Amino acid sequence: MKENQEDNCLLYEDDEHQFIWFGWEEEEGSNSFVQTNQCLIINGDQGYLFDPGGTYVFHHVLEQVTRYLHPRQINTLIATHQDPDVCSSAPYWMKATDAKLLISRLWLHFVSHFGLDEPERVVPLPDRGAKLRLPTGDHLLLLPAHFLHSEGNFSIFDERSGILFTGDIGASIFPAGKRTTFVEDFEAHKAFMEPFHKRYMHSNAVCRHWVAQIRALPKKVTMIVPQHGAMFRDEQVEAFLSWFEELQCGGDYLKAIYADQPV
């Protein structure tokens, strides 16, 4: 596995398939922008870009992508949900590529406010999710992750590599000097996840439902890549699923939130 914490990381590679992570484009400790991870799958000669990011990171991510393929080879952009850090760069990507943008049906008209010139290239995803066939015959599974945290939200499972891109599920926010590419000490890492998850995720019932879906996948998850912060691999995958399955969050703290108690 090739790693460069400041640039990109090749998470999986065989003769026909690559899964590449881009991250840490923001300066460490910056309070102006939340750090984001973008992922690119290359299957055959086609590219699939997950959560392309905000307008701020577009040029950096485009530069990284062109190390691997020409932008016109990008077939599909997939946005896990509608937040600006996820896909406000979509108009730029749709000018630089011929790709279609896949996003929840709930946000079909919302993303038009980012300034899309060709809204007909935006494809609404049904609530039940979808199965996207790749040139090699492998699939990307677009798995429902609704209310975690967005009303219309998806996780993306790459069957070939076993890598699960989870959007905001599993996100971590590091203080200056603490960031890592991969989680090494899960117990220590929880401190970087808990504040965000307790307030932004819907409830334990929804967390449990999502974890049950992930455990039922026909192939074992080898790695979890969230949209923010460090990735989970090996035994850390199960550590995260077990933690998230038991997490009290969102509506579970409703009385405390309305009483203006910190959660």
Side-chain angles (χ1 to χ4, degrees):
M1 182 181 297
K2 302 174 184 177
E3 297 181 25
N4 181 338
Q5 185 171 319
E6 300 304 324
D7 243 355
N8 61 77
C9 184
L10 186 56
L11 301 180
Y12 176 89
E13 182 178 33
D14 62 35
D15 291 342
E16 298 178 306
H17 193 85
Q18 293 176 306
F19 195 117
I20 306 142
W21 165 90
F22 307 117
W24 305 131
E25 63 277 345
E26 300 85 355
E27 291 184 10
E28 188 173 11
S30 171
N31 292 320
S32 300
F33 298 94
V34 62
Q35 181 271 337
T36 59
N37 299 320
Q38 293 78 38
C39 287
L40 173 70
I41 280 181
I42 302 174
N43 184 275
D45 63 351
Q46 299 292 303
Y48 302 81
L49 185 61
F50 304 166
D51 283 5
T55 55
Y56 171 73
V57 302
F58 168 72
H59 291 290
H60 175 83
V61 178
L62 178 63
E63 179 184 355
Q64 297 297 313
V65 166
T66 56
R67 296 184 182 187
Y68 294 90
L69 81 176
H70 191 281
R72 295 293 173 188
Q73 291 176 266
I74 296 180
N75 177 287
T76 304
L77 307 168
I78 305 175
T80 56
H81 57 294
Q82 82 292 352
D83 282 355
D85 61 310
V86 171
C87 60
S88 63
S89 65
Y92 299 102
W93 283 105
M94 296 181 84
K95 287 182 182 297
T97 74
D98 299 314
K100 55 187 176 294
L101 171 66
L102 276 56
I103 194 167
S104 167
R105 66 175 183 83
L106 297 182
W107 307 122
L108 184 62
H109 301 294
F110 182 98
V111 295
S112 297
H113 288 277
F114 291 143
L116 299 177
D117 291 333
E118 300 176 84
E120 67 275 9
R121 287 167 61 191
V122 183
V123 179
L125 292 171
D127 285 349
R128 67 179 181 277
K131 193 173 186 178
L132 186 61
R133 183 180 174 87
L134 303 180
T136 58
D138 300 287
H139 294 92
L140 296 179
L141 305 183
L142 307 183
L143 304 171
H146 306 310
F147 306 107
L148 297 171
H149 65 96
S150 173
E151 297 92 327
N153 191 47
F154 294 90
S155 302
I156 308 166
F157 184 59
D158 174 27
E159 285 187 325
R160 185 151 180 152
S161 68
I163 298 174
L164 177 67
F165 184 80
T166 53
D168 281 331
I169 300 169
S172 53
I173 301 173
F174 293 111
K178 296 292 185 179
R179 74 187 191 188
T180 59
T181 303
F182 290 95
V183 177
E184 301 299 341
D185 181 342
F186 186 80
E187 288 303 311
H189 185 72
K190 287 195 295 187
F192 307 133
M193 295 192 297
E194 283 180 338
F196 172 80
H197 284 77
K198 284 183 176 180
R199 186 59 193 260
Y200 280 81
M201 298 297 156
H202 183 278
S203 65
N204 177 254
V206 182
C207 295
R208 284 181 174 273
H209 189 86
W210 181 85
V211 171
Q213 176 186 219
I214 300 308
R215 294 196 193 281
L217 287 171
K219 182 174 180 177
K220 183 178 179 181
V221 175
T222 60
M223 189 181 301
I224 290 176
V225 182
Q227 196 221 353
H228 308 284
M231 298 176 277
F232 305 84
R233 59 184 174 184
D234 302 326
E235 69 276 4
Q236 306 296 359
V237 171
E238 179 55 35
F240 173 74
L241 293 176
S242 296
W243 174 80
F244 194 63
E245 188 174 35
E246 299 299 326
L247 182 70
Q248 299 292 303
C249 56
D252 301 320
Y253 292 104
L254 199 60
K255 290 183 179 179
I257 290 169
Y258 275 85
D260 200 25
Q261 298 175 11
V263 172

